[in-house]
């Protein structure tokens, strides 16, 4: 699917002015490439998608790494407002789920309709996540263990110090953003879908259920086969789940 880049932060797919816009927020250490295959499966007729390209990686590798999740969400919110129309669906994976909540708050405060927030493999913004001092003290060996535990990255590539030097600073910066994030203390108005992998040691069923405190509408939780990156095993199933929740919510609104 063809993409354009209206700003360095946004990769645009689909209709020029979508009837619905999906905003996709990648995980810690990830770039827009990591969710660049989602729009081809996600978009239906007349819809558009914006994938967030965080600074300090991919085409933005020469830029400084982000230090504030709240500031990144505010910048993303302003960009989404300028470069999209219609209601918004926010889908964030892991760090992207926490960022997605902050983005939803920003957009709702600006008067934009958010149809659904999808928190994928994400603990809630106020859940115990990471300790900044521990993140800063991690050795290369500990980073290798962390990378191989939660991803499908080829461990043999991590034997190359040049590869490690590219990956670790980005991942460290993202972990520090999470550790230092002071969340907006409010629930969003839109429904919330929390999805996790059955074998994910980081995000368990109780973490998905705890998202109930972050929506004033309905919470739907689903556990799918797989680990922290469960969607890589069956993206179609994830997309179908998102569409089902969206269609069900629209049907309920039409019958009120």
């Amino acid at each position: 699917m063809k993409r354009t880049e209206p700003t360095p932060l946004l990769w645009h797919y689909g209709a020029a002015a979508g009837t619905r816009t999906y905003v996709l927020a990648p995980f810690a250490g990830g770039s827009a490439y990591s969710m660049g295959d989602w729009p081809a499966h996600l978009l239906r007729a007349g819809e558009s998608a914006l994938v967030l390209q965080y600074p300090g990686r991919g085409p933005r590798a020469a830029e400084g790494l982000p230090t504030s999740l709240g500031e990144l969400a505010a910048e993303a919110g302003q960009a989404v407002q300028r470069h999209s129309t219609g209601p918004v669906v926010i889908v964030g994976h892991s760090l992207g789920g926490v960022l997605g909540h902050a983005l939803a708050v920003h957009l709702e405060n600006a008067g934009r309709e958010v149809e659904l927030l999808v928190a994928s493999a994400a603990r809630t913004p106020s859940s115990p996540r990471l300790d900044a001092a521990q993140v800063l003290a991690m050795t290369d060996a500990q980073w290798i263990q962390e990378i191989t535990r939660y991803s499908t990255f080829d461990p043999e590539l991590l034997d190359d110090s040049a590869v490690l030097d590219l990956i670790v600073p980005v991942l460290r910066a993202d972990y520090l953003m999470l550790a230092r994030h002071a969340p907006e203390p409010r629930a969003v108005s839109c429904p919330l879908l929390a999805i996790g992998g059955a074998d994910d040691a980081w995000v368990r069923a109780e973490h998905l259920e705890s998202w109930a405190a972050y929506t004033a509408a309905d919470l739907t939780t689903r556990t799918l086969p797989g680990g922290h990156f469960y969607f890589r095993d069956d993206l179609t199933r994830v997309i179908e789940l998102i569409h089902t929740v969206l269609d069900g919510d629209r049907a309920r609104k039409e019958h009120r």
Side-chain angles (χ1 to χ4, degrees):
M1 178 175 284
K2 182 181 179 181
R3 82 165 191 258
T4 59
E5 298 175 22
T7 77
L9 181 60
L10 301 179
W11 288 10
H12 176 273
Y13 298 83
T19 55
R20 167 187 286 148
T21 298
Y22 293 88
V23 181
L24 309 180
F27 46 86
S31 72
Y33 290 114
S34 66
M35 298 184 80
D37 57 336
W38 283 59
H41 303 275
L42 191 59
L43 299 187
R44 295 184 281 193
E47 297 180 339
S48 64
L50 295 170
V51 184
L52 301 184
Q53 175 57 64
Y54 307 144
R57 68 210 74 193
R60 304 184 69 186
E63 300 180 35
L65 289 161
T67 58
S68 167
L69 193 146
E71 290 178 2
L72 183 59
E75 181 186 356
Q78 293 166 5
V80 169
Q81 285 283 73
R82 288 195 304 269
H83 296 284
S84 68
T85 58
V88 173
V89 175
I90 301 170
V91 183
H93 185 80
S94 200
L95 171 145
V98 180
L99 177 66
H101 170 262
L103 175 58
V105 169
H106 179 94
L107 291 174
E108 288 189 343
N109 285 343
R112 187 72 176 270
E113 179 187 359
V114 180
E115 282 190 294
L116 178 69
L117 170 60
V118 181
S120 169
R123 293 188 179 188
T124 63
S126 59
S127 293
R129 296 183 304 274
L130 301 164
D131 179 83
Q134 291 177 343
V135 172
L136 289 169
M138 287 175 67
T139 64
D140 282 352
Q142 289 172 316
W143 280 115
I144 291 172
Q145 184 180 30
E146 186 76 4
I147 294 165
T148 54
R149 179 187 303 164
Y150 292 111
S151 75
T152 56
F153 202 91
D154 185 350
E156 291 187 3
L157 291 176
L158 299 177
D159 292 335
D160 185 338
S161 60
V163 173
L164 205 60
D165 288 345
L166 287 174
I167 296 172
V168 170
V170 175
L171 201 55
R172 182 188 293 116
D174 287 354
Y175 275 33
L176 287 173
M177 275 204 302
L178 270 177
R180 293 166 174 165
H181 179 52
E184 181 81 16
R186 59 155 279 192
V188 294
S189 300
C190 64
L192 201 153
L193 170 61
I195 317 173
D199 301 322
D200 187 352
W202 175 248
V203 181
R204 298 182 297 276
E206 59 266 30
H207 296 120
L208 303 182
E209 294 292 343
S210 65
W211 278 99
Y214 286 84
T215 175
D218 295 329
L219 171 70
T220 302
T221 63
R222 290 291 185 275
T223 300
L224 301 179
H228 192 65
F229 290 95
Y230 66 90
F231 67 85
R232 290 174 175 166
D233 298 327
D234 192 352
L235 180 57
T236 299
R237 184 172 181 180
V238 181
I239 300 302
E240 289 175 350
L241 177 56
I242 293 171
H243 285 165
T244 297
V245 173
L246 279 169
D247 293 344
D249 184 62
R250 172 166 288 183
R252 283 191 296 272
K253 289 178 180 177
E254 290 174 351
H255 284 85
R256 284 176 184 171

